[in-house]
Amino acid sequence: MESITLIVTALAAGAALGITNTASAAVTDAYTTLKALVTKRLAGKPDAELVLAEHEKAPETWHAPLMAKLTEAGADRDGDLVAAAQVLMSLIDGSGAGTQKYTVDARGAQGVQIGDGNRQDNVFNAPGGFEAR
């Protein structure tokens, strides 16, 4: 999983668990650490701070704007921030993190879907007379 996507996914997962009060102390601490690092990275940028606050309330709606703000802020080059997101995801979904599920490099790929339970039909270089559906 690309670094910015990992960070935003971890933030959404941590926020969701916090709402249900089912998170362990370790997950809560990891989420608090991640959120503090993201807040520090976005500090001084009021629009980015607003996006972060709104993302916690409605992650689906604010996913893309937060990704854009984190990209602008260079969060993908912040090793501590990426590591904090990986720690949180490993606590939330240990089996996925242990299998490198959250480490995906799709540079130069075509016809890619990342996630679980997807279905995709691709036709590359279809012979004449055939159309891709």
Side-chain angles (χ1 to χ4, degrees):
M1 183 178 293
E2 189 260 330
S3 298
I4 298 295
T5 303
L6 171 65
I7 294 166
V8 175
T9 300
L11 283 169
L17 285 175
I19 291 170
T20 61
N21 293 322
T22 61
S24 68
V27 169
T28 301
D29 291 346
Y31 174 68
T32 301
T33 299
L34 176 61
K35 189 171 176 196
L37 289 169
V38 170
T39 300
K40 181 179 176 184
R41 174 59 67 170
L42 300 177
K45 301 172 182 108
D47 56 333
E49 292 170 345
L50 172 69
V51 169
L52 177 60
E54 293 299 324
H55 178 267
E56 190 170 29
K57 298 175 199 170
E60 297 84 22
T61 303
W62 292 91
H63 178 88
L66 183 56
M67 286 189 63
K69 294 301 179 185
L70 288 170
T71 300
E72 288 173 17
D76 57 330
R77 296 182 303 276
D78 185 331
D80 292 336
L81 184 51
V82 173
Q86 289 171 331
V87 166
L88 179 56
M89 290 307 296
S90 69
L91 290 169
I92 292 171
D93 182 15
S95 62
T99 61
Q100 298 291 317
K101 178 178 181 175
Y102 304 110
T103 306
V104 176
D105 184 354
R107 288 177 283 190
Q110 294 180 345
V112 174
Q113 289 188 7
I114 298 174
D116 294 330
N118 297 324
R119 176 169 182 219
Q120 178 172 331
D121 298 314
N122 295 326
V123 178
F124 295 103
N125 301 319
F130 292 101
E131 292 183 18
R133 299 188 283 163

